[in-house]
Amino acid sequence: MIGLPRGVQDIMPSEVKIWQFIEKTAREIFESYNYQEIRTPIFEFTELFTKGTGETTDIVIKEMYTFLDKKGRSLTLRPEGTPGVVRAFIMNKIYNLNIPWKVYYIGPMFRYERPQAGRYRQFHQLGVELLGIKDPIADFEIIKIAVEFLKNLNLANIEVEINSLGCQKCRPIYRKALMDYFASFKHELSEIDKERLERNPLRLLDSKEEKMIEIKEKAPSALDYICGECQEHFEKLKNYLNISNIPYKINPKLVRGLDYYTRTVFEITTDILGAQNAIVGGGRYDNLVEIYGGPPIPGLGFALGIERLILLLSKIDLDLSLDEKKLIYLAIIDQNSNNFIIDLSEKLIEKKYRIEIGDPSLPLKNHLKIANRLKAELVIFIDSLIKEEKIKVKKLKTGEERILNIYNLVSELEIML
RNA sequence: GUGAACGUAGCUCAGUUUGGCAGAGCGCUGGGUUGUGGCCCCAGUGGUCGCGGGUUCAAAUCCCGCCGUUCACCCCA
């Protein structure tokens, strides 16, 4: 038997309902805030991610599925959604006519990591991006949409954490302060952390190594170093959150693993997912459009892991069968009724029923067994009665049976249901 | 990439400590009962014990390698 590569999986029919429910809810919420869906390619030039996501990030250093195509071009399966969206924004010159630009996406992402619960090599993200608004009301809107979405899925036990990483002007000052601070502990740092210190000292803040937890406790906080404008931006965001009663926690140690973030970063976490506690992550990226060679247009967004969401939802009871169409099982006993069966099937489907056409070679008993297993509401017996233009119908729940005239069959069925 | 646990029927798992005929429940198939399905009763079906190698008279069981899953680290969604 040929198996499956590590970290990828089938989403089988029995589990697809929850996916559809999540996607439907997402579309409803996002579109009610006037976001439109965008579908970008699953692979892009590798450069898009090295430049955008960042050379110092773990994603780029060790997690990308990168390969050469037949002409020797370096391509990469997208590890996250934002770079593709921003690329599309620039390539299609949206900034000339259509900002702010509000889009969302749903689709697979790929990262070469050791799989764990809620973490796979092919996983699915649902993300929202907003380009062209500098005002903190945009930061608020993005967080609000994420919270609203989770609320609509009946998720409790979630916490919003926010932080500000400053802008191009003040970030270097903070970066310097962090380097100076950690440099004094240099002899205590692990090899990886020493390297981080040089390349991206912000990343040291979410290290979970025992020594680091202690050291970083007293590390300088970004909020003390950011400039006046960034301070004001952050204050305004907090104010919006207060007004709309979205509870949040300021986490000065919250940094994110992508290089392009500026100012606001946020995460929505839960305590019931073990180490994979981040369910939503996002932030502002005011320089990314420029990094890709576009005009100076600010942007921000969030992404959410669908597999993790499903893991969370599996802990609460959800009835997803409510909006299903009612199932009618056609038990074919008389083999010479093809015309009638085809005609009846079409009529039932037109009336928004689901139908299951039973295997005509089965005995009556098996038809009922299968109909019961499929949770059919009604079984229609197509047997010798058809010669008298009559047909027998059984309601499975009550066992009630009726003989109906074929001419007003469909309307009689509605009465039985 | 590091450390640990695990992998037995379609599913959930027992059996591994101390090597000795491959097991249970659910499901599935057939039968009985029921007005013809569900409930109940009876019977049957189902396995390369993850894969490969080694030790042994004998391996699901002990040893080694590989693959996969899970948990933690790393990191992130």
Side-chain angles (χ1 to χ4, degrees), chain A residues 64 80 178 233 298 302 304 314 322 336 374 384:
Chain A
M64 293 205 300
E80 56 140 343
L178 268 184
H233 188 94
F302 71 78
L304 176 155
S314 68
L322 289 174
N336 305 312
L374 295 173
S384 55

Side-chain angles (χ1 to χ4, degrees), chain A residues 55-70:
Chain A
E55 304 269 15
T56 71
T57 61
D58 285 292
I59 291 179
V60 169
I61 293 170
K62 53 180 198 186
E63 295 176 4
M64 293 205 300
Y65 278 92
T66 296
F67 57 96
L68 296 180
D69 74 2
K70 295 194 184 211

Side-chain angles (χ1 to χ4, degrees), chain A residues 129-147:
Chain A
E129 312 285 350
L130 192 175
L131 285 112
I133 297 184
K134 202 176 177 198
D135 192 276
I137 191 139
D139 307 51
F140 164 71
E141 176 172 297
I142 287 294
I143 294 173
K144 169 84 174 160
I145 291 171
V147 169

Side-chain angles (χ1 to χ4, degrees), chain A residues 19 22-24 26-27 30 37-40 78 104-109 124-127 306:
Chain A
W19 285 78
I22 289 170
E23 288 164 14
K24 183 168 162 253
R27 290 179 201 285
F30 300 164
E37 184 174 358
I38 182 170
R39 301 187 186 192
T40 66
R78 61 180 185 194
Y104 70 90
Y105 57 84
I106 304 176
M109 306 292 162
H124 296 77
Q125 280 191 342
L126 217 155
I306 299 184

Side-chain angles (χ1 to χ4, degrees), chain A residues 139-206:
Chain A
D139 307 51
F140 164 71
E141 176 172 297
I142 287 294
I143 294 173
K144 169 84 174 160
I145 291 171
V147 169
E148 193 88 346
F149 171 64
L150 296 175
K151 213 166 94 187
N152 268 269
L153 297 174
N154 295 313
L155 278 177
N157 296 327
I158 54 165
E159 189 165 52
V160 180
E161 293 182 21
I162 60 171
N163 192 21
S164 176
L165 300 176
C167 61
Q168 259 176 321
K169 273 183 283 174
C170 51
R171 171 105 66 113
I173 301 168
Y174 176 55
R175 198 184 135 102
K176 177 80 173 42
L178 268 184
M179 281 176 101
D180 290 346
Y181 173 80
F182 283 114
S184 58
F185 296 94
K186 198 168 180 179
H187 54 286
E188 293 180 51
L189 300 183
S190 67
E191 284 309 307
I192 314 161
D193 281 346
K194 270 181 202 160
E195 217 186 295
R196 281 202 195 116
L197 178 59
E198 299 303 320
R199 300 169 78 157
N200 192 349
L202 261 64
R203 300 234 42 82
L204 288 167
L205 287 178
D206 58 14

